[in-house]
Amino acid sequence: MEPFTSVGFTLLGFLIAASSAQFETECYTANGEDYRGQQNQTCLQGGKPCLYWNETFQHPYNTVKYPNGEGGLGRHNYCRNPDGDVRPWCYIADHDDGVYWKYCDIPTCQMPGNLGCFRDSGDPPTLSGSSETSNKLTIQSCISFCRSRRYKLAGMESGYACFCGNDPDYRRQGEAVSTECNHVCFGDHTQPCGGDGRLIIFSTLVGACGGNYTAPTAVIYSPDFPDNYGSNRVCYWTIQVPGSSFLLFNFTFFDIRDATDIVELLDGYTNQVISRFDGRNHPQGLVNISADFAILYFYSDRNNQAQGFAVVYKALRKQDPSVVYLEEKNNQTEAESPSNTEKANLTLNAARSPQIFYVITSSPSKPTHNMPVWTIYALAALLTLTVIAMVAKVLLHLTVKSPRIPTISGSESCNQNASTEPWIIFYRPSTISFFKKKLKNRHGDLSPLVSH
């Protein structure tokens, strides 16, 4: 048995697949535009059932108008947000009071960094730091305002008010239903900015240009997220989780349209670029870095700004059961087959190479075969024919240079009798062919076989 064969790689692939399942979440944008969950009623308890998107032809959003799955539409009745509203919604059959659609109350439909919706009576205020009001308020403008003043929390209320604070007990007045914080931001009607007496609170780490991360798992957003990233941005994030064996990265949201705007993942120790993405090359799966230190780099030029990206990372440590099992299996098979230690090490290194993981289905344990006997005989015959051809060529050269070939003067024709024409042997790998060599006329270059 050879160590760490395709079974080991399949288990490793299963480990990555299991880890990727942990990345899945309901939403990663502020309004749940990328929600791809399976809730099919307006709320989990007593909600209205959603209509199928392939049956809503009387309404603007249906599979006929959007046949390629735009906005997540399809032959299903799951809540979606195809029009960039403040949260996912769906059409319903109830037409009372002219209502034919409703928002979906999805409790987990909020981006990481969105701490939730909270009551704010103002006495005392939920967030007691700096504040401002603006008719151009967006989530990121409020976050940037609070971050510039070194606050950890930013809250939006009634669509135009921004509050900052570090209060650890921001829950003291009670948490409210998320739908009560759906007043649109005055500066961006696709973003929720709280409600009357309701404060939607975010961590000011959201949308920062750079940062240092040491937690086993976290979400990193592009600068200015969920607003469009700015121009001429150069940002670095370091991710270092001591003791981890792998760092897995999953881009749950990626909206970059310019080929000159670049996202890179680098090995933190060597600065080697592991993966590079841009507007033409989007992430297609998990990215693995076989180290405990990585760097995320982002650059934007002056043109074509977009919403950016959200990337989740997760550190896998050696103590994880799946990793321990694979390493024990490798050590066991090494003891059974000492002669294959080098091959096992190479295979394990390949499994830990700083590239995207792929499940290898072909087994590397097939024994190598010796060269067949007929191959040796064929090579010997080929060599013999080559020697014969070379000897024949030398003999013919000696023959055509003998006095029996008449000297051709300037006035004589270059045509010769067929009986005196020299023969040339051409050797090819498969055959030896013979043909008569036609000498050039006197006006061309004389053949080297002709005496001068």
Side-chain angles (χ1 to χ4, degrees), residues 31 44 55 92 138 168 194 240 267 285 298 304 310 319 374 430:
N31 60 359
L44 293 178
E55 297 177 355
I92 58 176
T138 67
Q240 189 164 19
D267 184 300
F298 174 73
N304 302 324
Q319 292 78 10
W374 66 267
S430 58

Side-chain angles (χ1 to χ4, degrees), residues 259-276:
T260 56
D261 293 347
I262 298 172
V263 179
E264 291 181 340
L265 279 168
L266 300 87
D267 184 300
Y269 293 108
T270 65
N271 289 334
Q272 176 187 1
V273 176
I274 306 304
S275 297
R276 176 177 294 163

Side-chain angles (χ1 to χ4, degrees), residues 3-4 9 12 246 326-327 330-331 334 342-353:
F4 218 77
F9 277 108
L12 188 56
F246 308 107
L326 289 174
E327 292 188 347
N330 181 60
N331 294 334
E334 278 184 2
E342 182 178 355
K343 189 179 296 184
N345 289 337
L346 290 174
T347 309
L348 185 58
N349 289 335
R352 293 178 174 176
S353 64

Side-chain angles (χ1 to χ4, degrees), residues 273-296:
V273 176
I274 306 304
S275 297
R276 176 177 294 163
F277 308 109
D278 54 42
R280 297 179 182 177
N281 177 32
H282 287 202
Q284 300 299 322
L286 297 182
V287 180
N288 162 59
I289 295 181
S290 57
D292 62 357
F293 182 26
I295 297 173
L296 176 65

Side-chain angles (χ1 to χ4, degrees), residues 90-110:
C90 70
Y91 292 116
I92 58 176
D94 188 0
H95 284 74
D96 293 345
D97 299 325
V99 176
Y100 60 92
W101 68 271
K102 281 190 175 182
Y103 289 119
C104 295
D105 185 10
I106 306 173
T108 56
C109 186
Q110 60 187 44

Side-chain angles (χ1 to χ4, degrees), residues 105 203 451:
D105 185 10
S203 165
S451 303

Side-chain angles (χ1 to χ4, degrees), residues 238-405:
T238 63
I239 303 96
Q240 189 164 19
V241 186
S244 60
S245 302
F246 308 107
L247 291 174
L248 299 181
F249 294 84
N250 183 37
F251 285 86
T252 57
F253 180 80
F254 195 87
D255 179 25
I256 291 180
R257 303 166 192 170
D258 196 326
T260 56
D261 293 347
I262 298 172
V263 179
E264 291 181 340
L265 279 168
L266 300 87
D267 184 300
Y269 293 108
T270 65
N271 289 334
Q272 176 187 1
V273 176
I274 306 304
S275 297
R276 176 177 294 163
F277 308 109
D278 54 42
R280 297 179 182 177
N281 177 32
H282 287 202
Q284 300 299 322
L286 297 182
V287 180
N288 162 59
I289 295 181
S290 57
D292 62 357
F293 182 26
I295 297 173
L296 176 65
Y297 165 75
F298 174 73
Y299 165 80
S300 66
D301 62 7
R302 298 182 179 180
N303 303 314
N304 302 324
Q305 277 65 54
Q307 195 167 5
F309 60 85
V311 57
V312 188
Y313 78 82
K314 180 176 178 60
L316 294 181
R317 298 177 181 272
K318 293 181 179 180
Q319 292 78 10
D320 291 345
S322 300
V323 176
V324 171
Y325 170 78
L326 289 174
E327 292 188 347
E328 288 179 351
K329 180 178 179 62
N330 181 60
N331 294 334
Q332 177 183 357
T333 51
E334 278 184 2
E336 294 175 356
S337 304
S339 60
N340 293 323
T341 301
E342 182 178 355
K343 189 179 296 184
N345 289 337
L346 290 174
T347 309
L348 185 58
N349 289 335
R352 293 178 174 176
S353 64
Q355 301 295 335
I356 298 176
F357 270 119
Y358 295 95
V359 177
I360 300 177
T361 56
S362 60
S363 173
S365 61
K366 294 182 179 179
T368 56
H369 298 284
N370 293 328
M371 184 179 294
V373 176
W374 66 267
T375 305
I376 299 176
Y377 287 142
L379 291 174
L382 187 61
L383 180 60
T384 303
L385 290 174
T386 303
V387 173
I388 294 174
M390 294 176 63
V391 171
K393 184 174 181 179
V394 172
L395 293 176
L396 285 175
H397 273 282
L398 294 175
T399 303
V400 298
K401 289 183 178 180
S402 66
R404 288 179 293 175
I405 297 181

